[in-house]
Amino acid sequence: MNRVVITGAGTINALGHTVPETLHAMREGDLGIGPLQMRDLDRLSVKIGAQIKNFDPESHFDRQKLALYDRVTQLTLLASREAMVQSGLEITEEQSETTGVVLGTAAGGMNTWDDNFRSVYEEGKNRVHPFVVPKLMTNAAASHVSMVYNIKGPSLTVSTACASSNHAIGLAFQMVRSGMARAMLAGGADAMLTFGGIKAWEGLRVMSKTACRPFSANRSGMVQGEGAGVFVLETYEDAKARGAEILAEIVGFAMTSDASDIVMPNQQGAARAIRGALADACLSPQDIGYINAHGTGTAANDKTECAAVAEAFGAHADRVMMSSTKSMHGHLIGGTGAVELLACLMALREGVIAPTIGYEHPDPNCALDVVPNVARQAKVTATMSNAFAFGGLNAVLALRAV
């Protein structure tokens, strides 16, 4: 079995257009959530979100490409570009067949859906652009990444709601570890901050109108964001041979299904995923210094996740640091795990633990060290990233410093 390492990382989200900008914002505890700017905002009851600011697609892509690129594809390609540049990986014709792409998304081309529903139902048009289907399909971003980088190996899209990115990265990790591929681009993205996207989420009554406050007793729900995160995964041997900088090693992955409820999380399912990732990594709870929590800021998720960590970690649960960066960049749905993995890399490489901002009042159901409001310096050698999705689909990653 191959050792699998990360040699490149890329992102664009409400905290920054690059990894350095995002990590700086996480260190400072910056807030990327603010008033939404979109059409028909007056018809929405939720008027806040974590939108990407100062993003001009035409400064990155020509108009011919933009005719094929939904916003989610644009964000994915920019994150992929940053990851590939940092990695320095050059995909030759020979290597193209042993390199692949696995990306996660919950909604795919939501902006294209929204625009064309308006065109047909509101404006009464009888035709849509011939590129609508290839623009909105959920595999569009993965397909375009494969074409940009001449990637001809295993390539696919994973759609498991809020766990999509973790599932995608975990599957890519398994492919490299098993030898199915030598290198993979993996991560995820979503761009659901559209009128239709927000209106649909309003119906669930889990959205906050004020702020995202994970683990705080006065929480009022989740806040939606947008963005992408992409990583270059390759074998340790290949990375060392070409002198690449290794950001971290992925050492464990597990996925479980609650098989109980379509929206309510289940403690046992989450705990099994955590234990499974530890077992796959050959790590004990005492080895983990930091957990990036799913931490949506809803009462059901926060309470269940803390109980699952307490169950899986036992006596060590009180000594592990666990924070939710969704308090800063919002919930990116299918892309959230990828952006959150950056906090794990920061903990391993810089010894900086990203905070849970907006924390005001302790909750006895969340009596763990949630790193409230201010980042912390701490030496960490292993981290974990949790993702627990609607549908009861759980995916947990374990990373180690190299």
Side-chain angles (χ1 to χ4, degrees):
M1 302 286 273
N2 295 313
R3 292 176 64 186
V4 183
V5 296
I6 299 172
T7 57
T11 191
I12 177 169
N13 62 83
L15 294 180
H17 290 203
T18 64
V19 170
E21 289 179 5
T22 299
L23 295 184
H24 175 78
M26 287 183 177
R27 284 192 294 269
E28 296 299 314
D30 290 344
L31 179 64
I33 296 167
L36 287 169
Q37 296 181 353
M38 63 171 58
R39 186 175 171 184
D40 291 333
L41 185 64
D42 60 310
R43 294 178 58 199
L44 296 174
S45 60
V46 173
K47 302 180 189 295
I48 62 168
Q51 285 182 306
I52 297 170
K53 304 173 186 67
N54 305 315
F55 173 60
D56 177 19
E58 292 189 1
S59 67
H60 299 284
F61 308 103
D62 62 45
R63 292 193 176 185
Q64 186 176 5
K65 295 293 186 184
L66 287 175
L68 282 168
Y69 294 169
D70 183 88
R71 186 176 179 89
V72 74
T73 297
Q74 298 165 24
L75 302 180
T76 303
L77 287 170
L78 291 176
S80 299
R81 183 184 301 171
E82 184 183 12
M84 287 294 286
V85 168
Q86 182 180 33
S87 172
L89 179 67
E90 295 183 5
I91 304 173
T92 64
E93 190 61 38
E94 180 183 2
Q95 293 171 322
S96 67
E97 296 183 4
T98 59
T99 304
V101 183
V102 185
L103 296 174
T105 185
M110 176 63 78
N111 284 262
T112 302
W113 281 107
D114 206 59
D115 291 343
N116 284 276
F117 278 138
R118 284 184 181 279
S119 177
V120 173
Y121 292 117
E122 185 176 306
E123 298 169 15
K125 293 183 179 179
N126 291 323
R127 292 183 181 180
V128 298
H129 196 282
F131 289 162
V132 165
V133 169
K135 195 172 180 180
L136 62 78
M137 61 189 187
T138 53
N139 65 299
S143 296
H144 283 297
V145 169
S146 73
M147 290 185 279
V148 168
Y149 296 105
N150 190 37
I151 294 171
K152 299 178 179 178
S155 299
L156 67 147
T157 296
V158 176
S159 188
T160 52
C162 313
S164 298
S165 285
N166 271 24
H167 274 118
I169 295 167
L171 291 175
F173 158 66
Q174 291 178 333
M175 289 180 188
V176 177
R177 184 168 65 171
S178 70
M180 181 183 289
R182 289 179 61 177
M184 297 289 294
L185 269 72
D190 257 320
M192 295 176 66
L193 292 179
T194 66
F195 175 79
I198 295 292
K199 183 59 71 176
W201 276 94
E202 283 182 353
L204 284 168
R205 300 182 182 180
V206 296
M207 302 280 283
S208 174
K209 298 179 182 180
T210 56
C212 181
R213 304 185 187 280
F215 310 122
S216 186
N218 63 334
R219 70 176 74 77
S220 56
M222 59 171 274
V223 175
Q224 196 173 150
E226 63 177 351
V230 177
F231 302 88
V232 176
L233 279 55
E234 56 185 307
T235 68
Y236 174 80
E237 290 76 12
D238 284 349
K240 291 293 287 185
R242 66 183 186 84
E245 180 183 10
I246 295 174
L247 305 182
E249 181 178 4
I250 302 179
V251 289
F253 172 62
M255 45 188 168
T256 65
S257 174
D258 294 347
S260 61
D261 192 278
I262 198 66
V263 292
M264 290 298 292
N266 177 282
Q267 176 184 330
Q268 287 71 39
R272 283 191 295 112
I274 293 170
R275 288 195 298 265
L278 288 171
D280 191 43
C282 297
L283 294 174
S284 69
Q286 291 77 14
D287 294 319
I288 302 295
Y290 169 66
I291 300 172
N292 185 280
H294 191 59
T296 61
T298 64
N301 173 89
D302 290 1
K303 177 181 177 180
T304 303
E305 182 168 18
C306 288
V309 169
E311 177 184 331
F313 274 66
H316 186 63
D318 292 334
R319 294 187 285 275
V320 67
M321 295 172 286
M322 181 174 78
S323 68
S324 172
T325 54
K326 286 184 179 70
S327 58
M328 293 181 271
H329 55 63
H331 195 334
L332 280 62
I333 318 298
T336 200
V339 173
E340 290 166 357
L341 199 66
L342 295 171
C344 290
L345 295 182
M346 183 170 71
L348 292 171
R349 291 174 55 77
E350 302 179 28
V352 176
I353 308 301
T356 303
I357 70 168
Y359 185 90
E360 294 181 342
H361 303 292
D363 180 350
N365 291 312
C366 300
L368 301 177
D369 181 0
V370 297
V371 195
N373 298 316
V374 179
R376 190 179 303 169
Q377 288 285 152
K379 181 174 176 56
V380 171
T381 58
T383 64
M384 179 171 282
S385 178
N386 291 342
F388 308 131
F390 276 178
L393 305 183
N394 311 303
V396 177
L397 293 160
L399 283 72
R400 183 169 58 198
V402 177

